[in-house]
Amino acid sequence: MQLQHPYLLFLGDAADDLAAKTAAGVAQWRPEWCVGQLRLPGCNTSLDLPDMTLEEAREAGARTLVVGVANRGGVISEAWQQTFLDAIALGYDVAAGLHQRLVDIPALRAAADREGRLLADVRHPRDRFGVGTGEPRTGRRLLAVGTDCSVGKMYTTLALEAEMKRRGLKADFRATGQTGIFIAGSGISVDAVIADFISGAVETLCPANDDDHWDIIEGQGSLFHPSFAGVSLGLLHGAQAESLVLCHEPERLHMRGLPNQALPGLQECMDLNLACARLTVPQPRFVGIALNTKRLSPEQAERVLKETEDRFGLPTVDPVRTGVAPIVDRLA
Amino acid sequence: MQLQHPYLLFLGDAADDLAAKTAAGVAQWRPEWCVGQLRLPGCNTSLDLPDMTLEEAREAGARTLVVGVANRGGVISEAWQQTFLDAIALGYDVAAGLHQRLVDIPALRAAADREGRLLADVRHPRDRFGVGTGEPRTGRRLLAVGTDCSVGKMYTTLALEAEMKRRGLKADFRATGQTGIFIAGSGISVDAVIADFISGAVETLCPANDDDHWDIIEGQGSLFHPSFAGVSLGLLHGAQAESLVLCHEPERLHMRGLPNQALPGLQECMDLNLACARLTVPQPRFVGIALNTKRLSPEQAERVLKETEDRFGLPTVDPVRTGVAPIVDRLA
């Protein structure tokens, strides 16, 4: 499934910035693909994009209406549906990453069928995958792994792709979650794949490539998260990544969503990832650490970055504050 | 989903014993639930059960026609469908564990809807699961883990359940695959669950229970199988098993289906399982080793069992040759 850009970002009636964080991510990383935003009455957030009607954006070249808003439960609000129907009538594809599928709403499905437009439910893989093989394949690959969910793996890998491209390296971000798929225009939401096919799906996502080509693979979850570790392990095995980057948020008190579950230590987390990665890569190695220091003052952040770098002997960055150049230096 | 017994085992046109191994497993472990077998022209295998027509078995009390035969690709042969339609008309539920779903065949679905009968596709979980929490829960649990797929995990756990019940212990086999589900009458095919919900599904499968109750949980795959390790890890975390049994086939040359992938060492396999299990169980321990020695002579088998027991200091059995009593002794 390949999404057609440019995009018009649909913010709907997003209650706050957080509700529109998917749209914000797309606007940040692919501004050249975003012609504008579409907001409905009640919308309490805005991106740095012009407000447009469906018609205006279509004239400006938009080909896909990207649903960049989430609400509780991940359902498609009835308040949005007329906009989606109008978009389909105007020739848009509609793409969403919600729990509820666009294709399961009969009126949308009928309209899309009639107009020959794509309804892209990027959270719900439609392809059938084979089981993983673990067979060695050409090309170079880097995977972000984490001590926890939502510690900055997507941001880190996107920053690495950008920095590598800036240096003229052949690099492609490979998306494994909804927002990443909108940003890449394609990808596989690996946590929504049938369990048997996790590693096989990832092998499909980042197949054999040129010897000097890098796939920079978005991580998901953590081997230490009791809810999602199976996804993380299948991703690790399927990625066959010679290079790993550890992502971590120093101030986090417990595993996301689980107040009684402590975070692993960084060394412990690297050790287990390396031990498991060796199943499909002869000599995996960590090439850097990405800390999310957003809760720290600049001085605190500087100190924790330096302490971590000294302790592990690995380039340690905050992709937002410092960029990721030292990690790319290590790769080269 | 609860299957109604007694069963009539449908062997169809099974080309050989292997094609009917699901039926054979059910007949072996739940003979009291099996009133007979139904074979079509071309069937080249037989169980130790009377041949019966649908009508005869129904009179003998059968309530579910269990499709105990598999063919290449896991599809539902057209040659079987008239039998299934006749069964539904006679008041049977029909249960299958194939890749293709019974409910996706319009004629079967229509007949089942009309007659109010259940089409049970046990390989395709219909329930929605929550994500796992890893929260401690009461009751005692044992999980079989393996160096590889198909090394005897189901057989081992069924033998443990039988031995524990024989001793008057409270024990329930918890099925995680198709054949196991027919044998238990319920269960969850964990490799067919959406990846996000592996551990959550397993938490549902073996919920909190009495302090003296044992759930004996069927394992799947191996942390060392590049195709399926994600399933195995989610199962390990969701099972929250204080006791683990390692299953292994000594003569196996490579990981199942992957000629280039070596088997892990037994110690390595136990170490990684313990390291991962600790995420949701404070002090997991191995309580025994089950070797599948079917390719060895009695003398070879005796030697490898003794060597393994001496080396690891754990009760080491072949559930088929020796039974599993020494492992149950260790549990008690």
Side-chain angles (χ1 to χ4, degrees), chain A residues 39-328:
Chain A
R39 301 191 295 162
L40 297 181
C43 184
N44 285 324
T45 185
S46 180
L47 305 172
D48 191 17
L49 287 172
D51 282 297
M52 286 192 179
T53 64
L54 287 170
E55 291 79 2
E56 289 165 348
R58 191 83 181 112
E59 273 187 33
R63 300 175 69 186
T64 299
L65 182 70
V66 169
V67 181
V69 53
N71 54 19
R72 245 186 127 60
V75 299
I76 296 164
S77 164
E78 284 191 27
W80 306 345
Q81 293 184 24
Q82 190 57 51
T83 305
F84 299 172
L85 289 169
D86 293 344
I88 293 165
L90 285 165
Y92 284 89
D93 293 341
V94 181
L98 298 168
H99 189 74
Q100 188 183 6
R101 297 169 209 242
L102 296 166
V103 298
D104 286 341
I105 297 179
L108 291 179
R109 178 149 206 173
D113 286 349
R114 196 170 54 235
E115 302 288 336
R117 305 319 315 170
L118 175 71
L119 296 178
D121 290 294
V122 305
R123 189 177 197 150
H124 301 277
R126 294 195 298 183
D127 296 330
R128 303 205 84 116
F129 303 104
V131 296
T133 68
E135 282 293 310
R137 56 193 195 271
T138 53
R140 310 191 72 176
R141 283 172 297 279
L142 178 149
L143 172 70
V145 301
T147 51
D148 195 2
C149 305
S150 307
V151 290
K153 290 183 286 281
M154 185 186 80
Y155 196 104
T156 300
T157 41
L158 283 163
L160 285 165
E161 181 205 39
E163 178 66 21
M164 292 173 83
K165 286 193 158 160
R166 200 172 296 128
R167 299 187 188 191
L169 295 167
K170 288 156 73 176
D172 282 302
F173 169 75
R174 299 298 185 189
T176 60
Q178 297 100 266
T179 303
I181 293 172
F182 292 138
I183 293 170
S186 63
I188 299 170
S189 194
V190 291
D191 60 8
V193 168
I194 297 288
D196 239 0
F197 305 109
I198 308 171
S199 62
V202 177
E203 290 180 0
T204 304
L205 177 70
C206 45
N209 212 317
D210 299 342
D211 286 339
D212 61 345
H213 178 278
W214 282 91
D215 273 340
I216 308 299
I217 306 161
E218 182 188 6
Q220 292 293 335
S222 166
L223 290 183
F224 291 85
H225 198 296
S227 311
F228 309 119
V231 173
S232 305
L233 184 60
L235 176 48
L236 183 64
H237 286 158
Q240 229 177 77
E242 62 180 70
S243 296
L244 301 171
V245 172
L246 179 66
C247 299
H248 177 61
E249 185 183 328
E251 294 305 290
R252 195 164 292 203
L253 298 173
H254 59 76
M255 296 297 280
R256 185 173 165 86
L258 303 176
N260 298 320
Q261 193 83 34
L263 262 74
L266 272 59
Q267 189 65 55
E268 180 185 12
C269 187
M270 287 194 279
D271 289 347
L272 185 60
N273 273 284
L274 288 174
C276 292
R278 281 189 198 104
L279 191 69
T280 58
V281 179
Q283 293 187 299
R285 59 176 187 147
F286 275 87
V287 296
I289 298 174
L291 299 181
N292 179 341
T293 65
K294 68 182 176 198
R295 291 177 212 284
L296 302 181
S297 70
E299 298 71 30
Q300 288 172 318
E302 194 177 345
R303 195 177 62 235
V304 73
L305 287 167
K306 176 154 191 345
E307 284 172 359
T308 306
E309 178 148 330
D310 291 347
R311 183 167 158 222
F312 296 103
L314 287 171
T316 301
V317 302
D318 179 327
V320 177
R321 289 187 197 259
T322 71
V324 295
I327 296 178
V328 179

Side-chain angles (χ1 to χ4, degrees), chain B residues 7-8 12 17 95 110 162 170 217 268 272 283 286-287 321 325:
Chain B
Y7 298 155
L8 172 62
D17 292 350
K170 288 156 74 176
I217 306 160
E268 180 186 12
L272 185 60
Q283 293 187 300
F286 275 87
V287 295
R321 289 187 197 259

